Amino acid sequence: MCGIAGWLSEDHNLYEKSALLTAMSDTLKRRGPDEGGIYIERKIALMHRRLAVVDIENGKQPMVYCDDKEKYILVYNGELYNTEEVRGKLLAKGYEFESHSDTEVVLKAYACFKEKCAEMFNGIFAFAVYEVKRKRLFLCRDRIGVKPLFYSNTNGEFLFASEIKAILKSGVVKPIIDEKGLNEIFFLGPARTCGFGVFRDIEEILPGEYAFLENQKLFKYRYFTLKAKPHEENEHETIEHTRYLIEDSIKRQLVSDVPLCCFLSGGLDSSIITQTASDYLKTTNKAKLNTFSVEYRDNQKYFEKSVFQPNADTEYIEMMIKSADTNHHEIILDNILLGEALPNATRARDLPGMADVDSSLLLFCKEVKKEFTVALSGECADELFGGYPWYHNKDILFEESFPWSRSQDIRRKILKKGTLKRGEEYVKESYLDTIRAVDNLPTDSKLDKRMREMFSLNFYWFMQCLLDRKDRMSMNCGLEVRVPFCDYRIVEYAYNMPWELKALNGREKGIVRRAFEGILPLEICYRKKSPYPKTHNPVYFKFVSEKVTDILEQKSLLTEFIDKENVLNLIEHPENIPSPWYGQLMKTPQILAYILQLDTWFKEYNVEIA
């Protein structure tokens, strides 16, 4: 995993911008702490920061390949999980290899197959290839959107990067937001419209999209979208197929030349990954698997059961340590440090994010990185297999709203009267734009049609927000986190699975539970869904309350938007919120933390309002 960036210019001699190019590269140094490289000509510069994971010696970038027609320059961020299969196709066509890195495979696959290579890859990636003679740039992002790829194309200057901060560092793009950007952060945030970078003139290559830049014109194409197909397998075949896809994805992702571990929460998804990885590693005579879990200091004293978080993780983690026979490490996070890390989490994401859900992952990854460079995590099974309560609550299932943020009342309440009058309309249009694009079959029942819509809403919104979180927080620590449930084969299969099979026996992720009966302890298989742990300690609420109170006393860009009286009332009466700000975890302490992140973002990014 790495960080990539590039600049193609009509008007500038980039040889004269070497100091600025270095500064742009340095913004990505946390993503790639092991080494950096740059390819530069008068009108183009490609930059790379490397986190060495596979073929440490021979995977350096930018990587160059020449054939009899063209010279290709590659910068690549990601990991292929079918490297040997693609390599085999290239060997059959006469290509030779100097390394066992997937980087060389990606480069030569593009040289051979051009844009068709994207459809051959199983992995998580964002990469760019420059064809020197043709003066054409190719950009490509993985089907699911696990790896980021932002760009800006303005006034003859084209820039791209793994993170927004690198583009802003160029000085070509100013940190300006207009009404659309304000609606994103105040009414959709921490979600973000796919393809939109919130700042004006910053966009992103979509999941499953590639693009060509030629003569400063960008041509974009989708090579992957969610497509409806008939599901033709019976219950038994579906159970077997589900198990195969998940296990195969996990095993493919265990390839690494550096130490590897697993995140373990005691929930179904991380337990499946841990058990499968441990069993597989034992068959290959490798060392015992290491696992990591996260908890908060004194959390057991203040834990509160809810419909979203019915029980604590500890006993289930212990059960899985015994079942999978792992070396386990529990990371205990301090509640004050959790609050103090909120600004760093904002810097890592380049935007206000999921509050302490972000900062806790940042601190957790920092600890894991002390011993490991690669980890596997259970994200995204809930979005694909109907794991969230909103899939199962028939009172809200058919509401025309984002199910994780059904009401904008609390968002409207913290804003001054008359601010962003079209906010609710903006949210509704964002919802409807997604629904209109859903692919379904004429034979779909009303329920199955709605479940395709829910799948799409979760895939293109909630899941993308979590993937942003996972990538930015982990890579900010130089830790590569892989997400086996994001294998595109699993996504395609789950999208077309009828609801009565997906929710087998009336349970969330019922098909997955049945698939791993006899492999996991039964208590784990049928444990009720419990989300990523959050702090319940009043020390944290006190910390964010005091910080926000201080912010409200200042004159700043943020306080021009915030209703001071209503926010102070929220601090005094934290229970008086009609619904969570976002998802299952963002209640009053997290709303205050989000305000704190907004303040950091406005000030440190020197945000200007158009």
Side-chain angles (χ1 to χ4, degrees):
M1 295 298 173
C2 310
I4 63 174
W7 187 348
L8 283 77
S9 177
E10 274 192 349
D11 300 326
H12 295 100
N13 179 353
L14 294 179
Y15 284 120
E16 297 173 356
K17 301 282 185 182
S18 59
L20 188 54
L21 295 171
T22 299
M24 289 174 63
S25 178
D26 284 348
T27 66
L28 303 172
K29 196 169 184 178
R30 286 180 172 273
R31 294 185 72 90
D34 295 331
E35 59 189 1
I38 184 168
Y39 173 88
I40 185 168
E41 293 184 5
R42 192 170 183 274
K43 294 297 182 184
I44 179 171
L46 301 176
M47 293 150 276
H48 187 263
R49 292 295 324 183
R50 188 180 185 206
L51 177 66
V53 172
V54 174
D55 201 348
I56 312 296
E57 293 300 318
N58 299 308
K60 299 181 189 231
Q61 298 184 50
M63 186 175 280
V64 180
Y65 172 68
C66 299
D67 60 21
D68 57 353
K69 295 180 181 178
E70 186 56 270
K71 178 180 180 181
Y72 305 93
I73 318 292
L74 168 74
V75 285
Y76 163 64
N77 166 34
E79 203 77 55
L80 288 194
Y81 303 130
N82 65 337
T83 301
E84 296 312 311
E85 295 164 26
V86 180
R87 192 194 307 272
K89 292 178 182 178
L90 291 166
L91 287 169
K93 288 187 172 289
Y95 284 82
E96 297 179 351
F97 291 87
E98 299 174 3
S99 71
H100 70 270
S101 75
D102 56 341
T103 306
E104 187 178 5
V105 170
V106 169
L107 177 55
K108 290 180 178 175
Y110 180 76
C112 182
F113 301 109
K114 297 299 185 290
E115 69 274 15
K116 295 295 183 184
C117 70
E119 298 173 30
M120 299 177 175
F121 297 155
N122 180 340
I124 54 177
F125 51 81
F127 67 91
V129 180
Y130 184 64
E131 298 170 77
V132 175
K133 294 179 182 177
R134 189 167 179 175
K135 299 188 183 308
R136 182 173 73 163
L137 181 73
F138 176 74
L139 298 167
C140 186
R141 192 173 178 207
D142 69 74
R143 293 171 176 85
I144 314 304
V146 179
K147 291 288 110 181
L149 188 53
F150 294 95
Y151 71 90
S152 178
N153 190 19
T154 55
N155 301 320
E157 307 296 321
F158 185 87
L159 298 112
F160 70 87
S162 298
E163 295 182 5
I164 292 170
K165 58 175 65 69
I167 294 175
L168 293 175
K169 193 70 174 178
S170 72
V172 172
V173 182
K174 304 299 182 184
I176 297 172
I177 60 171
D178 52 23
E179 185 179 4
K180 181 180 179 182
L182 289 167
N183 280 326
E184 291 273 327
I185 62 171
F186 282 113
F187 282 94
L188 287 173
R192 176 172 56 82
T193 302
C194 261
F196 182 47
V198 178
F199 292 100
R200 194 166 69 180
D201 296 327
I202 294 184
E203 300 177 70
E204 69 174 340
I205 300 297
L206 292 170
E209 186 173 65
Y210 62 76
F212 288 102
L213 181 78
E214 202 162 10
N215 299 320
Q216 292 298 319
K217 292 182 180 178
L218 190 69
F219 304 93
K220 298 190 290 185
Y221 307 89
R222 297 293 289 275
Y223 71 93
F224 177 83
T225 55
L226 298 173
K227 290 292 183 185
K229 301 174 185 176
H231 184 87
E232 298 176 341
E233 296 175 336
N234 62 31
E235 180 180 312
H236 174 74
E237 291 167 336
T238 303
I239 291 168
E240 294 296 312
H241 198 166
T242 299
R243 184 192 306 116
Y244 165 75
L245 287 174
I246 294 171
E247 289 185 336
D248 184 65
S249 178
I250 295 166
K251 291 171 185 176
R252 286 173 181 265
Q253 298 190 27
L254 293 172
V255 175
S256 175
D257 292 340
V258 294
L260 177 148
C261 65
C262 289
F263 292 173
L264 175 62
S265 69
L268 177 67
D269 313 324
S270 68
S271 296
I272 288 171
I273 293 171
T274 294
Q275 188 73 60
T276 304
S278 179
D279 291 347
Y280 180 74
L281 292 176
K282 285 174 186 173
T283 66
T284 57
N285 296 316
K286 292 190 176 181
K288 185 183 286 192
L289 179 69
N290 283 269
T291 51
F292 285 81
S293 63
V294 63
E295 186 52 283
Y296 304 88
R297 195 171 308 283
D298 296 328
N299 217 30
Q300 66 277 9
K301 294 181 184 178
Y302 305 103
F303 177 78
E304 301 170 359
K305 290 186 177 183
S306 71
V307 65
F308 294 123
Q309 204 153 14
N311 42 43
D313 292 332
T314 306
E315 64 179 287
Y316 298 96
I317 291 171
E318 291 174 353
M319 199 179 297
M320 278 309 305
I321 295 168
K322 183 177 179 181
S323 175
D325 186 28
T326 72
N327 290 323
H328 188 69
H329 315 259
E330 183 181 41
I331 306 299
I332 306 292
L333 300 182
D334 179 84
N335 290 278
I336 298 300
L337 293 180
L338 180 70
E340 291 176 345
L342 288 166
N344 280 340
T346 309
R347 298 177 194 111
R349 198 189 265 257
D350 288 322
L351 292 165
M354 296 183 75
D356 50 71
V357 185
D358 278 9
S359 64
S360 61
L361 182 61
L362 185 69
L363 294 174
F364 180 51
C365 289
K366 184 178 178 181
E367 293 301 312
V368 174
K369 173 62 179 179
K370 290 177 180 178
E371 297 183 62
F372 293 87
T373 303
V374 178
L376 271 63
S377 180
E379 261 84 3
C380 303
D382 291 305
E383 289 82 0
L384 306 181
F385 290 101
Y388 292 119
W390 50 71
Y391 279 98
H392 303 269
N393 185 334
K394 291 181 180 176
D395 293 333
I396 66 172
L397 180 60
F398 287 92
E399 284 185 1
E400 291 193 337
S401 62
F402 292 114
W404 51 84
S405 188
R406 294 162 55 210
S407 168
Q408 279 75 57
D409 289 352
I410 185 63
R411 295 170 182 267
R412 177 57 70 190
K413 194 171 184 180
I414 71 163
L415 287 169
K416 288 181 178 177
K417 287 184 180 178
T419 302
L420 298 175
K421 295 178 181 179
R422 293 187 61 255
E424 290 85 354
E425 182 183 340
Y426 185 84
V427 173
K428 189 62 174 282
E429 278 304 307
S430 298
Y431 167 85
L432 291 174
D433 284 347
T434 308
I435 296 299
R436 293 182 192 112
V438 173
D439 194 44
N440 51 57
L441 298 175
T443 54
D444 285 344
S445 67
K446 181 182 178 183
L447 179 61
D448 278 322
K449 182 179 179 182
R450 181 56 178 167
M451 287 307 179
R452 287 195 196 275
E453 293 174 348
M454 289 289 283
F455 190 110
S456 296
L457 290 168
N458 279 270
F459 182 83
Y460 287 114
W461 288 91
F462 200 79
M463 190 165 130
Q464 295 302 319
C465 186
L466 292 180
L467 290 174
D468 273 1
R469 166 184 177 256
K470 180 67 72 179
D471 175 82
R472 307 308 188 279
M473 300 308 126
S474 60
M475 293 304 292
N476 192 258
C477 301
L479 178 71
E480 174 189 325
V481 177
R482 300 173 180 175
V483 277
F485 282 98
C486 283
D487 187 304
Y488 76 91
R489 299 170 301 162
I490 298 175
V491 172
E492 290 178 323
Y493 191 65
Y495 183 66
N496 289 298
M497 190 183 296
W499 181 246
E500 68 267 17
L501 288 176
K502 192 178 291 186
L504 200 60
N505 300 324
R507 286 299 306 271
E508 72 281 4
K509 295 183 288 192
I511 194 73
V512 180
R513 296 177 188 279
R514 177 70 74 82
F516 285 88
E517 277 187 13
I519 296 172
L520 297 180
L522 203 60
E523 297 91 334
I524 298 289
C525 273
Y526 289 95
R527 180 190 179 190
K528 188 171 176 59
K529 158 73 181 170
S530 189
Y532 181 84
K534 71 174 182 178
T535 182
H536 298 268
N537 198 314
V539 168
Y540 177 75
F541 179 67
K542 182 174 183 290
F543 175 89
V544 293
S545 297
E546 290 174 351
K547 289 289 184 183
V548 169
T549 301
D550 289 343
I551 288 168
L552 294 174
E553 295 302 321
Q554 304 166 14
K555 182 173 175 56
S556 67
L557 191 55
L558 175 62
T559 55
E560 291 181 18
F561 293 94
I562 297 295
D563 187 306
K564 178 180 176 180
E565 183 179 339
N566 282 346
V567 174
L568 290 175
N569 188 56
L570 185 63
I571 292 172
E572 287 296 316
H573 304 283
E575 71 285 354
N576 289 346
I577 59 170
S579 62
W581 176 277
Y582 185 83
Q584 307 163 60
L585 300 177
M586 292 187 71
K587 295 189 177 180
T588 298
Q590 289 72 38
I591 293 170
L592 298 175
Y594 188 78
I595 292 172
L596 198 162
Q597 288 195 304
L598 278 167
D599 186 61
T600 297
W601 184 66
F602 275 122
K603 289 175 179 174
E604 295 195 12
Y605 282 73
N606 299 310
V607 175
E608 302 172 28
I609 308 298

